[in-house]
């Protein structure tokens, strides 16, 4: 009893970050690992020997389970990032695990609400969550199936340190009303080799690459997460030294809980072709690439659609259609559409992109424009976004550490 509980407590500290995430950064293994520690704790409770574990052990378990609560989508589906295959974690499997967590933490009313699909407990109120140790971030409009939710990863480790990770810092997935419009490409193969490398590549993700090459560094940091009252937007600022001489700063605004604006800034001494990569949909169906408008839109008949438009700070931009791919099951691949927006960067000259992701019933209808305000600065950024005649002024300041 003494040695077993001591070993388990040591493993909690060594295998998990302080924010509750498993250190290898993979959601699949995170859920699986919880069960090892949860079942031991439950066994102790049922035998009236909860005292065998220190209070810190149970607190660590609480943080682990809250990672799951915040990371799953409102329709009880999973992210498809790293080695997590969303088909493995069906709604029934996720709910079974959530109910196990409630058994261990019956006082957690928010967890109870999620486990019972709102029949009991209290709906969670948090619309943003930052797991800064591991590098996962969530911005959501709410917790019902008809809400919106964006998940981003900006990890503090690279695939060289944690095998399950990929060269994908600052990538994202976007869920709207039961549909994931930008699911991660996945991993396809669990073995080493060309297929696994192809899926792990930076250009296979919704992030910025240089000369279509892989990042040389994954040391992601969050600079800020707050609320901008004037534009009624939650804003998240992430930064990663993606390449030698090139810093990638990605700022995400969730505006009025309606739509998202992503501002990408690439600065430093590196020169070459910047590629802003996008991989929409789980297949080629209902995805239309709009090369002249620098974006895409969807054509789903149920009225749940998305329009995406990207603009620069004046730098010439080229639309490049690419071969996309998607896998949520081992050794199974589906073709999908993909594209990159390329801009030439000279040494010491920054390049800025602004991308608007706007949900609409008819994604061909909204008229969208965006432009930067003021000169580029490390400390302050301003963008005006106009949709169908209404303008939002998005300002972010104090952007440096």
């Amino acid at each position: 009893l003494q040695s077993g509980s001591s070993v388990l407590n040591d493993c909690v500290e060594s295998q998990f970050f302080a924010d509750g995430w498993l250190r290898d950064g993979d959601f699949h293994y995170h859920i699986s690992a919880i069960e090892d520690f949860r079942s031991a704790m439950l066994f102790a409770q049922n035998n009236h020997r909860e005292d065998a574990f220190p209070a810190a052990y149970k607190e660590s378990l609480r943080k682990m389970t809250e990672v799951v609560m915040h990371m799953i989508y409102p329709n009880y589906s999973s992210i498809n990032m790293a080695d997590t295959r969303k088909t493995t974690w069906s709604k029934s499997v996720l709910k079974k695990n959530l109910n196990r967590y409630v058994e261990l933490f019956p006082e957690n009313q928010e967890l109870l609400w999620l486990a019972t699909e709102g029949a009991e407990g209290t709906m969670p109120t948090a619309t943003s969550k930052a797991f800064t140790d591991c590098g996962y971030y969530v911005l959501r409009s709410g917790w019902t199936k008809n809400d919106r939710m964006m998940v981003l990863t900006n990890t503090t480790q690279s695939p060289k340190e944690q095998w399950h990770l990929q060269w994908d810092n600052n990538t994202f997935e976007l869920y709207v009303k039961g549909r994931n419009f930008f699911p991660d490409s996945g991993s396809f193969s669990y073995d080493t080799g060309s297929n696994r490398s192809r899926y792990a590549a930076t250009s296979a993700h919704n992030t910025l690459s240089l000369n279509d090459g892989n990042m040389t560094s994954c040391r992601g940091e969050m600079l800020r997460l707050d609320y901008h009252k004037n534009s009624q937007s939650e804003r998240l600022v992430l930064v990663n030294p993606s390449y030698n001489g090139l810093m990638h700063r990605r700022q995400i605004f969730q505006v009025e809980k309606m739509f998202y604006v992503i501002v990408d800034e690439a600065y430093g001494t590196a020169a070459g072709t910047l590629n802003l990569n996008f991989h929409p949909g789980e297949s080629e169906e209902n995805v239309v690439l709009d090369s002249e408008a620098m974006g895409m839109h969807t054509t789903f008949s149920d009225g749940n659609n998305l329009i995406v438009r990207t603009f620069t700070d004046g730098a010439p931009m080229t639309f490049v259609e690419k071969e996309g791919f998607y896998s949520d099951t081992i050794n199974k691949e589906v073709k999908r559409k993909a594209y990159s927006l390329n801009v030439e960067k000279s040494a010491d000259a920054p390049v800025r992109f602004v991308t608007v992701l706007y949900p609409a019933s008819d994604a061909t209808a909204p008229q969208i424009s965006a432009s930067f305000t003021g000169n580029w600065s490390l400390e302050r950024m301003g963008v005006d976004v106009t949709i169908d005649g209404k303008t939002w002024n998005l300002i972010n300041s104090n952007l440096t550490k």
Side-chain angles (χ1 to χ4, degrees):
L1 178 65
Q2 291 176 352
S3 63
S5 60
S6 176
V7 167
L8 285 169
N9 189 56
D10 290 344
C11 286
V12 165
E13 295 181 0
S14 64
Q15 294 180 23
F16 289 83
F17 286 113
D19 64 11
W21 255 98
L22 187 68
R23 287 183 181 271
D24 78 3
D26 186 79
F27 193 53
H28 175 99
Y29 284 98
H30 178 91
I31 298 176
S32 298
I34 289 175
E35 187 56 24
D36 296 332
F37 300 99
R38 185 205 68 86
S39 58
M41 185 68 190
L42 185 63
F43 186 73
Q45 285 182 339
N46 289 342
N47 287 276
H48 310 291
R49 288 307 310 270
E50 189 174 345
D51 62 300
F53 293 92
Y57 181 92
K58 191 171 183 179
E59 175 62 15
S60 295
L61 269 172
R62 182 188 64 79
K63 290 182 179 180
M64 296 178 208
T65 60
E66 289 187 352
V67 166
V68 180
M69 185 177 78
H70 284 282
M71 289 295 297
I72 61 175
Y73 290 112
N75 65 347
Y76 297 86
S77 62
S78 166
I79 59 173
N80 200 55
M81 295 172 165
D83 272 318
T84 303
R85 293 165 295 282
K86 77 169 198 174
T87 52
T88 302
W89 299 102
S90 63
K91 178 179 178 178
S92 61
V93 173
L94 286 171
K95 282 192 62 182
K96 180 175 68 176
N97 281 277
L98 289 169
N99 278 286
R100 287 172 174 171
Y101 307 157
V102 169
E103 187 178 4
L104 198 60
F105 301 104
E107 73 285 356
N108 191 327
Q109 293 298 297
E110 292 186 346
L111 194 60
L112 177 63
W113 183 90
L114 197 63
T116 61
E117 296 190 64
E120 300 177 57
T122 305
M123 180 189 295
T125 58
T127 54
S128 60
K129 185 66 177 178
F131 298 101
T132 55
D133 293 329
C134 188
Y136 279 93
Y137 303 88
V138 177
L139 292 173
R140 64 166 79 221
S141 63
W143 291 78
T144 71
K145 182 179 178 180
N146 288 328
D147 276 299
R148 301 156 177 81
M149 177 174 163
M150 180 180 281
V151 177
L152 301 103
T153 178
N154 192 35
T155 60
T156 55
Q157 304 171 98
S158 75
K160 292 182 179 179
E161 297 154 293
Q162 296 292 348
W163 192 77
H164 296 296
L165 297 180
Q166 300 179 334
W167 299 103
D168 62 354
N169 267 14
N170 281 330
T171 192
F172 68 90
E173 290 191 349
L174 177 61
Y175 165 102
V176 179
K177 296 181 179 180
R179 177 169 290 128
N180 194 335
F181 284 96
F182 278 94
D184 192 81
S185 296
S187 59
F188 182 74
S189 174
Y190 199 74
D191 302 319
T192 58
S194 60
N195 280 322
R196 187 172 180 84
S197 298
R198 181 165 59 100
Y199 273 80
T202 302
S203 58
H205 297 88
N206 301 310
T207 189
L208 187 78
S209 59
L210 177 64
N211 298 322
D212 283 322
N214 284 342
M215 295 176 181
T216 58
S217 175
C218 290
R219 288 291 180 268
E221 293 183 66
M222 183 188 78
L223 297 185
R224 64 188 301 153
L225 173 61
D226 56 16
Y227 183 77
H228 185 216
K229 184 177 181 180
N230 289 344
S231 63
Q232 299 182 49
S233 60
E234 288 181 276
R235 52 188 180 180
L236 170 68
V237 185
L238 305 174
V239 65
N240 185 62
S242 299
Y243 298 87
N244 296 330
L246 185 72
M247 188 70 74
H248 178 204
R249 185 165 66 188
R250 171 160 276 188
Q251 304 178 57
I252 305 94
F253 294 80
Q254 180 177 237
V255 185
E256 295 187 9
K257 298 183 179 180
M258 291 170 47
F259 65 98
Y260 294 86
V261 176
I262 300 177
V263 177
D264 290 291
E265 299 168 289
Y267 52 94
T269 58
T273 303
L274 293 172
N275 329 106
L276 187 60
N277 304 288
F278 293 98
H279 301 263
E282 296 182 356
S283 69
E284 296 179 320
E285 295 182 2
N286 299 304
V287 174
V288 179
L289 300 185
D290 304 317
S291 58
E292 293 186 3
M294 301 295 169
M296 53 78 61
H297 70 276
T298 62
T299 58
F300 292 98
S301 60
D302 60 4
N304 181 17
N305 286 292
L306 186 75
I307 182 171
V308 179
R309 294 289 183 261
T310 298
F311 309 85
T312 67
D313 55 1
M317 181 168 54
T318 304
F319 187 100
V320 179
E321 186 171 349
K322 303 168 68 173
E323 181 180 305
F325 43 84
Y326 170 76
S327 177
D328 57 21
T329 305
I330 284 291
N331 297 325
K332 181 180 178 181
E333 178 175 288
V334 177
K335 291 183 179 181
R336 64 174 174 173
K337 297 177 182 178
Y339 66 96
S340 68
L341 300 166
N342 295 352
V343 171
E344 295 302 315
K345 181 187 179 302
S346 58
D348 296 318
V351 172
R352 298 184 293 177
F353 303 85
V354 53
T355 301
V356 180
L357 302 99
Y358 190 79
S361 57
D362 178 2
T364 64
Q367 298 299 308
I368 298 173
S369 64
S371 60
F372 288 92
T373 60
N375 296 324
W376 182 82
S377 168
L378 271 176
E379 291 76 28
R380 187 180 186 278
M381 184 281 305
V383 169
D384 284 342
V385 174
T386 302
I387 301 175
D388 290 339
K390 181 178 180 178
T391 298
W392 289 264
N393 180 230
L394 307 177
I395 299 175
N396 216 340
S397 56
N398 301 322
L399 294 175
T400 55
K401 297 180 187 177

